[in-house]
């Protein structure tokens, strides 16, 4: 098994991986997302990829500097990072944070089609004494003789790739009383676009056109494609027994 590090504190991203058979180690990136958003000049979709890559690189730097004991015994590991934003009328709608901002967001998007963008970044790290410039060899070593392992050797970045996905979302039209009840849960404060389909907000989404996992913040088909393109075998990441 190749261990996976999730560079996110998102419960939904962690649950998506667990449902897919992966039990990730959580390392929060602590990236200043607001500062990056303020400086960014590209599209909303490009912003999500920039944020996911920033999170991945921050966690990679920490692992290279000092890998946590939970990664002892690993010659190869995978880092996964993601970020999501709702786009409406060409503008990014992130996490509103407050009741007032949540009301403003819902005033604009209720009854409208929107786009939910999720950026994904996947990186492969290997122990330095075994890194040879190819991920395929690292994957073979991971399945090899444990006697050759040196847990004291630091990791180094072997490969990193990013990709984004988008799903169209038709937002429902909750009544004033329903919206106030939703705001009282504080759920919309902490999620992109002021709603999430896997919580209270799921009742206020009328239709999806695209991958529902993109809306939840991490598209497993996209992540599998990135992992496979870097020469690893997706089932090698599975850790959970059914």
């Amino acid at each position: 098994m190749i261990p996976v590090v999730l560079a996110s504190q998102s419960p939904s991203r962690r649950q998506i991986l667990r449902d897919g058979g992966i039990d990730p180690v959580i390392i929060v990136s602590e990236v200043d997302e607001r500062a990056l958003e303020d400086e960014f000049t590209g599209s909303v979709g490009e912003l999500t990829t920039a944020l996911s890559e920033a999170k991945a690189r921050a966690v990679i730097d920490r692992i290279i500097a000092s890998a946590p004991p939970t990664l002892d015994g690993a010659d190869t590991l995978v880092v996964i990072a993601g970020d999501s934003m709702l786009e409406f009328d060409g503008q990014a709608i992130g996490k509103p944070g407050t009741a007032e901002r949540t009301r403003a967001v819902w005033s604009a998007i209720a009854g409208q089609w929107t786009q939910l963008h999720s950026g994904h970044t996947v990186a492969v790290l290997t122990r330095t004494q075994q890194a040879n410039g190819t991920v395929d060899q690292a994957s073979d070593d991971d399945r090899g003789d444990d006697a050759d392992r040196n847990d004291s050797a630091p990791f180094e970045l072997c490969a990193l790739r990013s990709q984004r996905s988008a799903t169209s979302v038709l937002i429902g039209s909750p009544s004033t009383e329903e919206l106030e009840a939703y705001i009282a849960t504080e759920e919309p404060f902490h999620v992109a676009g002021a709603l999430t389909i896997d919580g209270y907000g799921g009742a206020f989404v009328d239709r999806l056109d695209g991958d529902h996992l993109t809306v939840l913040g991490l598209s497993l088909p996209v992540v599998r494609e990135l992992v496979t393109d870097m020469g690893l075998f997706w089932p090698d990441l599975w850790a959970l027994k059914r």
Side-chain angles (χ1 to χ4, degrees):
M1 184 201 77
I2 298 174
V4 172
V5 172
L6 177 61
S8 173
Q9 62 185 348
S10 164
S12 63
R13 291 190 181 99
R14 181 178 185 179
Q15 192 59 49
I16 288 169
L17 289 177
R18 288 182 62 85
D19 288 345
I22 297 169
D23 190 16
V25 175
I26 305 299
I27 302 179
V28 181
S29 68
E30 299 179 359
V31 165
D32 187 346
E33 298 181 40
R34 181 67 68 182
L36 198 156
E37 292 170 19
D38 291 343
E39 297 173 358
F40 195 77
T41 57
S43 69
V44 176
E46 291 167 343
L47 174 57
T48 63
T49 305
L51 286 165
S52 70
E53 184 167 333
K55 294 175 184 179
R57 290 191 180 278
V59 168
I60 289 166
D61 287 346
R62 289 168 61 184
I63 293 172
I64 290 174
S66 180
T70 49
L71 298 178
D72 286 351
D75 296 327
T76 302
L77 67 89
V78 172
V79 175
I80 298 173
D83 192 85
S84 299
M85 289 249 178
L86 191 73
E87 179 180 5
F88 176 66
D89 199 22
Q91 300 298 313
I93 302 177
K95 304 169 186 176
T98 66
E100 182 179 3
R101 287 179 57 85
T102 300
R103 291 187 189 96
V105 167
W106 273 91
S107 176
I109 67 174
Q112 303 294 319
W113 277 101
T114 62
Q115 283 274 314
L116 196 293
H117 301 270
S118 282
H120 310 75
T121 297
V122 176
V124 177
L125 281 70
T126 58
R127 295 282 181 185
T128 54
Q129 86 280 16
Q130 294 184 349
N132 64 357
T134 64
V135 180
D136 287 335
Q137 182 63 44
S139 181
D140 291 341
D141 289 344
D142 187 70
R143 303 187 188 99
D145 189 351
D146 287 349
D148 294 333
R149 177 175 290 125
N150 181 1
D151 291 342
S152 64
F155 284 98
E156 69 176 4
L157 177 61
C158 191
L160 182 147
R161 296 187 183 181
S162 296
Q163 186 174 322
R164 63 182 182 270
S165 57
T167 294
S168 297
V169 183
L170 177 59
I171 308 299
S173 300
S175 67
T176 300
E177 293 78 12
E178 287 174 326
L179 180 58
E180 288 304 316
Y182 185 40
I183 288 171
T185 70
E186 298 188 0
E187 177 184 271
F189 298 178
H190 312 295
V191 289
L195 83 161
T196 178
I197 65 171
D198 61 341
Y200 296 107
F204 306 132
V205 174
D206 286 351
R207 192 180 308 169
L208 300 178
D209 184 6
D211 177 18
H212 75 285
L213 292 177
T214 290
V215 181
L216 292 175
L218 195 71
S219 171
L220 282 184
V222 169
V223 175
R224 185 188 67 82
E225 181 180 345
L226 292 171
V227 168
T228 302
D229 284 350
M230 288 187 283
L232 299 183
F233 183 50
W234 177 253
D236 281 348
L237 277 58
W238 294 344
L240 304 183
K241 301 298 183 182
R242 296 299 185 186

